[in-house]
Amino acid sequence: MKNCILLVFGLLALATAAKLNYTGHKVIRVIPETKEQLEFLRDWESSSEIDFWLLPSSAGRFADIRVSPESYAHVAARLADMKMSHTVHIADVGELERQEQHNMAQRIAIFNGEKAIDVENYHTYEEVMAYLAELANTNPLVSTKVGGTSEEGRDIVQAIISSDLSANKPVHFFDCNIHAREWITAATCVWIIDQITTGYGSDPEITSLVDQYDWKFVPIANPDGYAYTWNTDRNWRKNRLVNNGSTCVGVDANRNFPIGFAGSGSSSDPCSGTYHGIAAFSEREASALRDLIAADRGRVKTAISMLWQVVSAKSLPCTLQAKTSTSDAIRHPHLNLGC
């Protein structure tokens, strides 16, 4: 057992060493009080100069910005020029990542294997896909469907939970991890899948919900970007498309839908974290979500994108709200398919 624990920690240490090092990077928090300050932040965010973790939707709401040690003084000066002060929200992003790896390793060491996957931990793309495949093979409620293939050849997999697929029941649709670095969203989808599949037949509310509705989940909607966050850059956000005419990689697939395409909160710069792509639905990830929802046209009663930024789980049944409140549950704003 001791050797197993040491192996787990050793493998995680090697994985961490291979990644980009964010030691000394800070996340600073600033609150725009005026429309001019808000527009300044929005314009700045659409450039590739710094990494906004959160952009406020209105004046009076905070923005979170990751800055490197080299850029901190410059960013602070620009904010001061706009009469905006800031506080340090996270003092060392690199240390935060190391703590995350430590916590993951601890859970791996103590996981007793009663379930196919530890739903309280983060997992790689391959582990999540293996979990879905095992569920589909062992649980009659569960089936899977490939909604599309990523640029690097990974399947975009939908898990379907239904007590009677032939009944064409109303559908609740969830997609998670469209932003690669937001691991909590995939973990939330996996947790909900586990709650439904283990609760059916024993929990009256869950049993009733499954008998009334079909539940469909895309736990990792951006598989290439997600894999990249595990292997290379924990803070990567976009997919891994090689952009023609640019040395910068990736499109923010969450900005690649027709509703609001190229509008506020997105960028035309391929080097930006919010680059919207060359056209709506140009990205395989966005097209896959479109096609999966369109396949159930007229039956989709709720379409929810799990994002990290703002908590709102009111549209979910009360049994499922406790966990989803750790991330976002936002009614899907991107599609207009007559759901």
Side-chain angles (χ1 to χ4, degrees):
M1 180 65 179
K2 180 179 179 182
N3 289 337
C4 178
I5 294 173
L6 290 174
L7 177 62
V8 166
F9 277 90
L11 290 173
L12 285 173
L14 286 173
T16 304
K19 291 183 180 180
L20 293 180
N21 187 353
Y22 284 94
T23 298
H25 287 237
K26 303 178 188 299
V27 174
I28 61 174
R29 178 162 289 182
V30 59
I31 301 176
E33 300 292 350
T34 67
K35 180 180 178 181
E36 291 73 23
Q37 291 173 340
L38 179 64
E39 289 303 315
F40 166 77
L41 291 177
R42 287 177 173 173
D43 290 344
W44 205 8
E45 191 265 351
S46 67
S47 75
S48 57
E49 186 176 359
I50 53 176
D51 178 19
F52 276 77
W53 280 18
L54 178 65
L55 187 68
S57 58
S58 61
R61 305 193 67 175
F62 63 82
D64 284 343
I65 308 168
R66 179 184 60 82
V67 293
S68 67
E70 298 78 18
S71 65
Y72 176 67
H74 168 67
V75 170
R78 287 201 67 183
L79 291 172
D81 287 343
M82 291 298 298
K83 296 181 171 52
M84 285 188 283
S85 60
H86 70 274
T87 58
V88 176
H89 181 54
I90 298 173
D92 190 333
V93 174
E95 179 57 32
L96 195 66
E97 291 182 19
R98 286 187 288 274
Q99 184 61 47
E100 180 181 64
Q101 291 291 327
H102 175 77
N103 293 342
M104 290 165 57
Q106 282 189 318
R107 286 210 59 88
I108 292 171
I110 66 174
F111 178 56
N112 59 20
E114 291 180 359
K115 296 181 179 180
I117 197 171
D118 177 8
V119 298
E120 297 293 336
N121 206 356
Y122 294 128
H123 294 278
T124 66
Y125 168 82
E126 290 78 13
E127 289 170 337
V128 174
M129 294 304 105
Y131 166 68
L132 297 182
E134 181 172 341
L135 271 183
N137 287 330
T138 59
N139 191 317
L141 291 175
V142 182
S143 59
T144 59
K145 176 180 180 179
V146 176
T149 305
S150 70
E151 194 72 20
E152 296 178 352
R154 294 179 178 88
D155 288 340
I156 300 170
V157 176
Q158 180 185 65
I160 302 165
I161 303 174
S162 176
S163 58
D164 183 4
L165 277 174
S166 65
N168 291 321
K169 293 180 287 188
V171 170
H172 291 302
F173 178 92
F174 298 77
D175 70 82
C176 299
N177 244 130
I178 194 71
H179 287 151
R181 65 192 180 191
E182 295 170 9
W183 290 5
I184 187 62
T185 63
T188 299
C189 263
V190 166
W191 189 91
I192 298 174
I193 291 169
D194 175 75
Q195 292 296 294
I196 295 175
T197 54
T198 59
Y200 184 78
S202 59
D203 185 299
E205 184 179 10
I206 288 177
T207 302
S208 175
L209 288 168
V210 175
D211 287 339
Q212 292 179 67
Y213 302 98
D214 287 345
W215 297 79
K216 303 195 177 186
F217 299 85
V218 181
I220 302 177
N222 177 8
D224 292 349
Y226 185 67
Y228 194 72
T229 62
W230 279 81
N231 300 327
T232 306
D233 182 357
R234 177 63 181 87
N235 287 289
W236 188 258
R237 173 187 171 98
K238 302 183 286 182
N239 68 11
R240 293 296 298 163
L241 178 77
V242 177
N243 293 303
N244 290 332
S246 174
T247 59
C248 294
V249 173
V251 172
D252 181 356
N254 195 48
R255 304 296 195 275
N256 192 239
F257 297 90
I259 303 300
F261 180 77
S264 177
S266 69
S267 174
S268 60
D269 181 357
C271 297
S272 170
T274 57
Y275 175 50
H276 50 59
I278 60 173
F281 291 134
S282 63
E283 303 312 297
R284 294 168 181 258
E285 297 82 6
S287 295
L289 296 180
R290 174 198 63 195
D291 294 345
L292 287 169
I293 293 178
D296 292 317
R297 187 188 302 272
R299 296 171 54 205
V300 178
K301 300 305 179 184
T302 307
I304 293 174
S305 236
M306 293 286 185
L307 300 170
W308 171 71
Q309 296 164 333
V310 181
V311 175
S312 172
K314 294 181 180 178
S315 61
L316 294 179
C318 60
T319 302
L320 304 179
Q321 283 188 22
K323 184 68 175 185
T324 56
S325 65
T326 62
S327 64
D328 269 0
I330 301 175
R331 289 188 177 273
H332 211 296
H334 308 304
L335 305 178
N336 183 13
L337 297 171
C339 299

